[in-house]
């Protein structure tokens, strides 16, 4: 059922008084989860108090929040389709696109969908190849997967194995997808601390893969501290079997943000979580745990940090980044609680677990990042719903800055940051809580705009959305042959 009679700003007052079990205190006094890096680390259900359960049930009855399984949208958003999970039952993760195909990572492998008819997508193939997160990108006939969980070897038949064992493997996998019905595994490259996420930076003959990983430990033979940068893998386009590690690029010679003993939720920097490259500008923006950075990538094998910022007050975990189309703004996200916490409520507020908008300003020959404002969805979620800022992309509208973005069980938010000081939501899609009695992991991991529609990797399957709004309608005329959100194209 779809409900659109209530404006977003008036919905979701749930969570104002529900502080019975101190969920926020627990969230802010423990080290955050590592952005759900491994299935074993996904939070177990936490029993809520009877008062919290009663509040959720009351909110559902009153219409403040949708019931479990119910869909709610703003009046300008339509839910066109859902393709439930098939053989791969793990966590759905990131998305990539090429032609009439969408590619979805899953902790158990990846899925290829035919999206020629967005209202009737169909599964083309499912590849079983376990290894969290299986963050995914495509380039021509190649598909790249990130593996950030220790495996017994680099094959798709590997089993989980402790990182303390020297023989354990984690890193980057490369597939040939020239036949979408039967992808072929062609190469594997081991990288220090694995590959939590990755970013493609195209060269003339090769693809450079910037590998983001973190959380080193003295007991991990292949993930020793200090881990102050990124691994760079070179993938020859016409000989991917020769893929190799070319160097480890140090980005934080001073060690990066050291953390704050009085604020344990603020994660020290020991690598990067995600990097978004903008090849047309020869720049990249990095979200690196405790630091936000700008990189000069004019020499892909030797990226150079040209600006670095911190948010000592509000950001706990710098998670991802998105440029405006003109490159004059960067939206950084804060994944407070690692994706497993209930942070979209009045207790946490609207400046934590949010987006931060920065202007990219030129001071002589130097680039500077200047903070402007925060954006967080205005729809408070139940304390049984994990919710925080997560993966999104620009909607390619000329003259405006509009994003679509996932918020786990907070759903999909369409928001306008053309006025950097006054960002606001213009549409939304969400489901009711996965569970009304206890905190349970679920919701949408990534939501990206591609060739006229929005595709969302929800834990309920692939969702397809359509926004009909005068502010975004012109984007429907923009067509791309390929799209990886972490390799941002310039839209003319």
């Amino acid at each position: 059922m779809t409900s659109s009679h209530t404006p977003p700003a008036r919905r979701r007052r749930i969570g104002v008084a529900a502080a019975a079990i101190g969920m926020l205190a627990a969230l802010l006094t423990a080290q955050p989860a590592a952005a759900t890096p491994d299935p074993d680390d996904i939070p177990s259900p936490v029993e809520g108090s009877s008062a919290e359960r009663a509040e959720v049930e009351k909110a559902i009855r009153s219409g403040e929040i949708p019931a479990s399984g119910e869909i709610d949208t703003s009046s300008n958003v339509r839910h066109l389709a859902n393709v439930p999970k098939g053989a791969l039952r793990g966590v759905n993760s990131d998305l990539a696109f090429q032609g009439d195909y969408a590619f979805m990572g899953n902790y158990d492998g990846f899925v290829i969908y035919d999206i020629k008819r967005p209202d009737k997508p169909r599964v083309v193939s499912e590849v079983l190849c376990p290894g969290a997160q299986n963050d995914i990108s495509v380039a021509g006939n190649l598909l790249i997967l990130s593996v950030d969980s220790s495996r017994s070897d680099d094959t798709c038949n590997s089993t989980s194995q402790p990182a303390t064992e020297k023989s354990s493997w984690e890193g980057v996998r490369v597939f040939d997808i020239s036949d979408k019905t039967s992808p072929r595994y062609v190469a594997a490259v081991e990288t220090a601390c694995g590959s939590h996420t990755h970013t493609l930076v195209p060269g003339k003959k090769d693809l450079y893969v910037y590998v983001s990983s973190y959380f080193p430990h003295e007991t991990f033979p292949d993930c020793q501290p200090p881990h102050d940068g990124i691994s760079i893998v070179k993938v020859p386009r016409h000989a991917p079997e020769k893929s190799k590690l070319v160097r480890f690029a140090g980005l934080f010679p001073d060690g990066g943000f050291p953390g704050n003993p009085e604020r344990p939720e603020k994660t020290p920097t020991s690598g990067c979580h995600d990097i978004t490259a903008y090849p047309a500008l020869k720049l990249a923006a990095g979200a690196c745990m405790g630091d936000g950075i700008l990189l000069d990538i004019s020499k892909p094998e030797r990226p150079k940090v040209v600006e670095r910022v911190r948010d000592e007050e509000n950001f706990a975990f710098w998670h991802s980044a998105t440029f405006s189309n003109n490159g004059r703004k960067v939206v950084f996200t804060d994944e407070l609680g690692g994706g497993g916490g209930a942070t979209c409520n009045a207790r946490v507020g609207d400046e934590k677990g949010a987006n931060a908008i920065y202007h990219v300003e030129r001071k002589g020959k130097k680039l500077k990042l200047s903070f402007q404002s925060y954006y967080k969805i205005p729809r408070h979620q139940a304390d049984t719903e994990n919710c925080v800022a997560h993966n999104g992309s620009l909607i390619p509208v000329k003259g405006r800055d509009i994003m679509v973005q996932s918020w786990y069980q907070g759903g999909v938010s369409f928001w306008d940051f053309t006025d950097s000081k006054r960002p606001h939501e213009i549409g939304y899609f969400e489901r009711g809580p996965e569970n009304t009695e206890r905190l349970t992991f679920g919701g949408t991991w990534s939501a990206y705009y591609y060739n006229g529609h929005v595709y969302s990797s929800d834990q309920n399957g692939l969702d397809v959305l359509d926004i009909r709004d005068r502010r975004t309608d012109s984007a429907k005329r923009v067509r791309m042959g390929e799209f990886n959100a972490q390799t941002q194209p310039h839209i003319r």
Side-chain angles (χ1 to χ4, degrees):
M1 183 175 81
T2 298
S3 169
S4 59
H5 60 280
T6 311
R10 294 178 58 192
R11 296 181 65 256
R12 290 302 184 100
R13 296 306 174 194
I14 187 168
V16 174
I21 64 172
M23 197 174 294
L24 175 62
L27 181 69
L28 299 186
T29 56
Q31 195 74 2
T36 55
D38 188 277
D40 293 337
D41 291 333
I42 292 175
S44 300
V46 177
E47 294 292 342
S49 68
S50 58
E52 286 176 313
R53 294 196 298 271
E55 187 180 14
V56 174
E57 292 166 0
K58 180 181 178 181
I60 290 174
R61 288 196 301 272
S62 68
E64 287 185 81
I65 66 171
S68 291
E70 184 181 10
I71 287 174
D72 183 28
T73 75
S74 54
S75 59
N76 57 351
V77 175
R78 292 191 303 156
H79 184 215
L80 295 186
N82 172 265
V83 182
K85 287 180 178 177
L88 304 184
R89 306 303 297 174
V91 173
N92 284 335
S93 58
D94 212 6
L95 291 163
F97 305 89
Q98 185 182 89
D100 292 330
Y101 298 94
F103 305 79
M104 182 191 290
N106 180 284
Y107 279 40
D108 288 337
F110 64 93
V111 186
I112 302 178
Y113 300 89
D114 182 331
I115 56 171
K116 188 172 185 178
R117 291 191 59 181
D119 60 335
K120 291 186 177 180
R122 63 179 183 85
V123 174
V124 175
S125 59
E126 299 186 76
V127 176
L128 178 64
C129 199
Q133 301 181 141
N134 278 334
D135 194 60
I136 194 166
S137 295
V138 293
N141 289 330
L142 301 179
L143 179 148
I144 315 294
L145 287 181
S146 280
V147 179
D148 190 28
S149 58
S150 295
R151 313 297 300 175
S152 56
D153 54 54
D154 62 10
T155 72
C156 288
N157 297 317
S158 65
T159 57
S160 181
Q161 183 168 287
T164 52
E165 294 190 23
K166 177 62 178 174
S167 62
S168 293
W169 181 93
E170 48 188 322
V172 170
R173 291 170 170 153
V174 183
F175 287 79
D176 184 318
I177 54 170
S178 51
D179 180 355
K180 303 294 189 295
T181 65
S182 185
R184 184 170 57 90
Y185 190 3
V186 295
V189 180
E190 187 171 15
T191 57
C193 302
S195 176
H196 193 70
T197 67
H198 68 265
T199 303
L200 300 187
V201 178
K204 292 181 179 180
K205 296 181 179 179
D206 306 305
L207 289 172
Y208 291 94
V209 182
Y210 287 3
V211 174
S212 296
S213 57
Y214 49 92
F215 282 167
H217 197 275
E218 291 84 354
T219 63
F220 300 161
D222 299 318
C223 184
Q224 291 284 300
H227 183 74
D228 59 357
I230 59 174
S231 298
I232 301 178
V233 173
K234 183 165 69 174
V235 180
R237 293 178 185 269
H238 300 297
E241 68 280 0
K242 296 181 180 179
S243 299
K244 64 179 181 179
L245 178 69
V246 292
R247 69 186 296 256
F248 183 85
L251 303 179
F252 303 98
D254 63 350
F257 176 62
N260 183 345
E262 296 181 359
R263 298 283 301 278
E265 81 280 7
K266 295 179 71 60
T267 315
T269 298
S270 61
C272 290
H273 179 276
D274 213 339
I275 293 171
T276 294
Y278 201 149
L281 298 179
K282 298 181 180 180
L283 283 177
C288 302
M289 305 179 72
D291 294 89
I293 61 174
L294 283 179
L295 291 166
D296 178 338
I297 59 171
S298 56
K299 297 178 180 179
E301 286 193 29
R302 297 191 174 276
K304 180 182 178 182
V305 176
V306 295
E307 169 66 329
R308 183 170 70 177
V309 291
R310 294 173 182 166
D311 184 336
E312 299 282 0
E313 181 59 32
N314 289 312
F315 261 42
F317 189 95
W318 293 70
H319 177 276
S320 53
T322 302
F323 286 95
S324 61
N325 189 52
N326 62 11
R328 296 175 184 171
K329 302 177 185 179
V330 180
V331 175
F332 288 103
T333 68
D334 172 24
E335 197 186 39
L336 171 67
T343 74
C344 298
N345 51 43
R347 296 197 311 278
V348 176
D350 57 6
E351 295 183 343
K352 292 180 169 64
N355 298 319
I357 303 165
Y358 284 78
H359 282 182
V360 181
E361 300 172 349
R362 186 169 291 279
K363 303 291 186 180
K365 294 183 178 181
K366 295 183 178 181
L367 294 179
K368 295 292 182 182
L369 287 168
S370 171
F371 172 77
Q372 302 299 308
S373 68
Y374 296 104
Y375 168 77
K376 193 170 183 180
I377 57 173
R379 295 164 287 108
H380 289 157
Q381 306 295 303
D383 283 337
T384 62
E385 295 179 281
N386 63 307
C387 177
V388 75
H390 215 238
N391 294 345
S393 74
L394 287 185
I395 297 179
V397 179
K398 188 174 182 179
R400 300 192 72 88
D401 299 316
I402 300 177
M403 273 190 73
V404 60
Q405 185 178 9
S406 286
W407 291 76
Y408 286 111
Q409 286 193 68
V412 175
S413 177
F414 298 82
W415 62 286
D416 188 321
F417 62 105
T418 306
D419 183 341
S420 300
K421 295 289 189 181
R422 295 176 179 80
H424 58 281
E425 186 169 76
I426 64 171
Y428 66 88
F429 164 90
E430 66 171 300
R431 289 183 169 85
E434 292 288 327
N435 195 304
T436 59
E437 297 185 353
R438 57 187 182 271
L439 177 60
T440 305
F441 182 83
T444 170
W445 183 288
S446 299
Y448 300 140
Y449 191 93
Y450 177 70
N451 290 354
H453 294 86
V454 170
Y455 298 85
S456 165
S457 52
D458 194 277
Q459 303 317 308
N460 289 285
L462 176 70
D463 282 317
V464 185
L465 310 177
D466 183 25
I467 182 168
R468 300 285 182 89
D469 190 291
R470 60 177 177 77
R471 292 163 288 193
T472 62
D473 285 346
S474 64
K476 292 183 179 295
R477 296 191 292 270
V478 177
R479 286 292 181 269
M480 292 180 279
E482 194 169 87
F483 180 61
N484 300 293
Q486 290 76 31
T487 306
Q488 193 167 323
H490 177 68
I491 306 298
R492 290 178 171 82

